[in-house]
Amino acid sequence: MKITLSDITKAFPVRGKKGADVVAVRDFDFTFPDGTLVGLLGPSGCGKSTLLNMICGLLAPTEGHIFFGDSDVTKLPPEARGVGFVFQNYALYPHLTVLQNILFPLQNLKGADKLSKEEMHSRAEEIARLVQIDGFMDRKPGELSGGQQQRVAIARALVKKPRVLLLDEPLSNLDARLRLKTREEIRRIQKETGITTVFVTHDQEEAMSISDTIVVMKDGALLQSGKPQEVYQKPQNLFVSKFLGTPPINVFDGKIKEGKLFIGDAAVLDTPDLENRDVYVAVRPEDFDLCPSGAFVCPVHRIEVMGRDTSIVFSHESADAPVLRALIRTEDIPNTGATVHFSLRRERIHLFDKATEERL
Ligand code: ATP
């Protein structure tokens, strides 16, 4: 089932300051497509959790409407929405076994939804198998690893067969290795169930690796959405370009003058299609071309070989960071002189207007 957010705004009143609201989410318009996994991504405080809480009904929007499929659920309470929610801290009942934790949401079902004891157990076992926790049904949460606890939390969210699954930073409490494994698991479970899923994270790599679509937020607003690779390759503004990618994109102050792009005093590229203006020039580490006659000349600090990747670590006086990185193939390592020469290609750099920071 698709979820549509139509012009959603959420303002919180500030205690003691009449009229001075914190706008956590503003004018948010987006449709989460049916059966897909959408990664909601943005820095701390950008409104991700507020948005999730509005989808599940724990918070009411100040303005706008929320639709599940074609029905308006804006005024429906959480229990009537059919949403499964997984929190960062698992929120399991410590005194109950895994089985009892998974059964818990089913025991509160009423009326036509009420299940017999046998039905509840068979549903719990089916979900436990899906998340591969069926070998631990008699343990208490304290006797499980963090990853296993998170699986129980996912099982508990899925056992009522929700129409929507919301995951709020579900991997934050896991170590790096387990994060990788668990995110693959979430992807598998989402594919097997086909349930529309919203996955909140501030980790861009995590979002890019498992999402069908990513949504990048800043200050409560939607900046860009699309397939992860499309957003990575064509960021619509400087913020999105900097938010995605590790090592981060390299950003330089530049100038378009008489059909040429200048970085510092060097004319590094012909840009006959652009008018004179100040720009930011953003180049991903993998998008520099080594070229002995290249016009873009930078002082080299060192060469770093890290497993598969080799980086040239360099600097430039027009850059916004003290050190920059170009990723190259190990066989292309240049004779490390004091400088390195790059040539830039129009289709592999990103130009943003200096004033608006929007893509040119
Ligand atoms: P994080 O990644 O740190 O969890 P987030 O993107 O989920 O952050 P939110 O928790 O949605 O961000 O908060 C968005 C903004 O709204 C923040 O500035 C926060 O301080 C503010 N905010 C959230 N809840 C309330 C509240 N109940 N009252 C006042 N302000 C709030």
Side-chain angles (χ1 to χ4, degrees):
M1 186 188 56
K2 69 176 178 185
I3 309 167
T4 305
L5 305 183
S6 172
D7 230 354
I8 292 288
T9 291
K10 177 67 187 175
F12 293 106
V14 177
R15 205 168 296 155
K17 283 193 184 172
K18 234 181 146 199
D21 291 347
V22 177
V23 181
V25 172
R26 64 181 75 233
D27 306 329
F28 203 100
D29 246 331
F30 186 71
T31 296
F32 298 81
D34 181 26
T36 63
L37 194 160
V38 177
L40 194 55
L41 189 60
S44 181
C46 72
K48 306 182 293 295
S49 300
T50 305
L51 203 65
L52 272 204
N53 286 330
M54 287 192 284
I55 296 173
C56 81
L58 290 172
L59 284 175
T62 318
E63 282 169 42
H65 291 267
I66 301 172
F67 297 86
F68 282 7
D70 293 325
S71 51
D72 188 337
V73 298
T74 318
K75 294 212 159 65
L76 275 191
E79 61 277 12
R81 291 196 186 187
V83 171
F85 207 132
V86 178
F87 300 93
Q88 174 179 342
N89 59 6
Y90 323 133
L92 299 176
Y93 298 108
H95 59 289
L96 300 183
T97 63
V98 167
L99 175 63
Q100 289 164 334
N101 263 286
I102 301 175
L103 283 174
F104 193 83
L106 298 181
Q107 285 158 345
N108 297 326
L109 293 177
K110 301 219 164 55
D113 294 333
K114 200 167 162 53
L115 298 177
S116 70
K117 207 166 171 202
E118 290 71 37
E119 285 169 324
M120 284 197 263
H121 277 256
S122 112
R123 181 86 74 82
E125 275 152 25
E126 176 199 338
I127 295 292
R129 277 195 299 278
L130 175 74
V131 305
Q132 296 174 351
I133 198 77
D134 46 322
F136 303 94
M137 298 296 252
D138 295 328
R139 292 209 200 165
K140 301 249 170 88
E143 297 160 346
L144 298 175
S145 71
Q148 290 161 344
Q149 290 183 43
Q150 193 52 289
R151 284 164 197 249
V152 180
I154 295 170
R156 203 181 46 181
L158 288 174
V159 76
K160 274 182 18 184
K161 306 215 161 155
R163 301 189 288 171
V164 174
L165 180 63
L166 305 177
L167 304 160
D168 194 357
E169 303 260 6
L171 310 180
S172 314
N173 290 352
L174 308 180
D175 67 38
R177 216 175 248 266
L178 204 51
R179 278 179 88 110
L180 262 179
K181 195 165 159 231
T182 313
R183 77 187 192 199
E184 296 307 325
E185 280 292 289
I186 289 176
R187 184 62 195 169
R188 176 186 63 80
I189 293 164
Q190 191 275 330
K191 278 223 158 115
E192 278 183 31
T193 56
I195 185 167
T196 308
T197 300
V198 186
F199 180 98
V200 162
T201 177
H202 58 263
D203 181 335
Q204 51 94 19
E205 202 184 317
E206 199 161 276
M208 294 205 32
S209 67
I210 63 167
S211 308
D212 296 302
T213 301
I214 57 169
V215 171
V216 185
M217 286 180 77
K218 185 186 174 225
D219 299 334
L222 188 160
L223 288 194
Q224 190 171 353
S225 64
K227 289 195 175 125
Q229 204 53 25
E230 281 171 15
V231 180
Y232 180 81
Q233 284 171 344
K234 212 165 176 208
Q236 285 310 312
N237 56 54
L238 184 65
F239 178 86
V240 174
S241 81
K242 287 165 94 164
F243 199 73
L244 301 182
T246 13
I249 202 162
N250 304 285
V251 180
F252 307 90
D253 283 329
K255 226 180 221 326
I256 310 276
K257 229 169 30 186
E258 315 304 335
K260 287 190 189 308
L261 169 65
F262 284 81
I263 299 179
D265 295 331
V268 293
L269 193 68
D270 286 336
T271 49
D273 51 323
L274 295 174
E275 290 175 8
N276 290 357
R277 62 166 93 206
D278 290 341
V279 292
Y280 288 112
V281 186
V283 189
R284 299 232 177 256
E286 64 273 26
D287 287 338
F288 287 99
D289 287 336
L290 280 172
C291 171
S293 60
F296 191 39
V297 185
C298 304
V300 175
H301 291 226
R302 60 183 185 278
I303 304 287
E304 266 178 14
V305 183
M306 296 233 296
R308 197 170 30 89
D309 295 329
T310 297
S311 301
I312 303 176
V313 182
F314 63 99
S315 61
H316 194 279
E317 56 191 13
S318 299
D320 73 344
V323 283
L324 308 165
R325 276 191 161 69
L327 283 176
I328 57 164
R329 296 186 310 172
T330 306
E331 54 269 37
D332 292 340
I333 294 179
N335 291 328
T336 11
T339 56
V340 65
H341 293 241
F342 296 117
S343 62
L344 300 180
R345 278 190 268 161
R346 180 71 179 94
E347 68 277 14
R348 290 177 69 181
I349 65 167
H350 310 274
L351 296 176
F352 302 103
D353 181 83
K354 195 78 174 264
T356 63
E357 301 190 356
E358 293 297 317
R359 185 182 190 88
L360 294 178

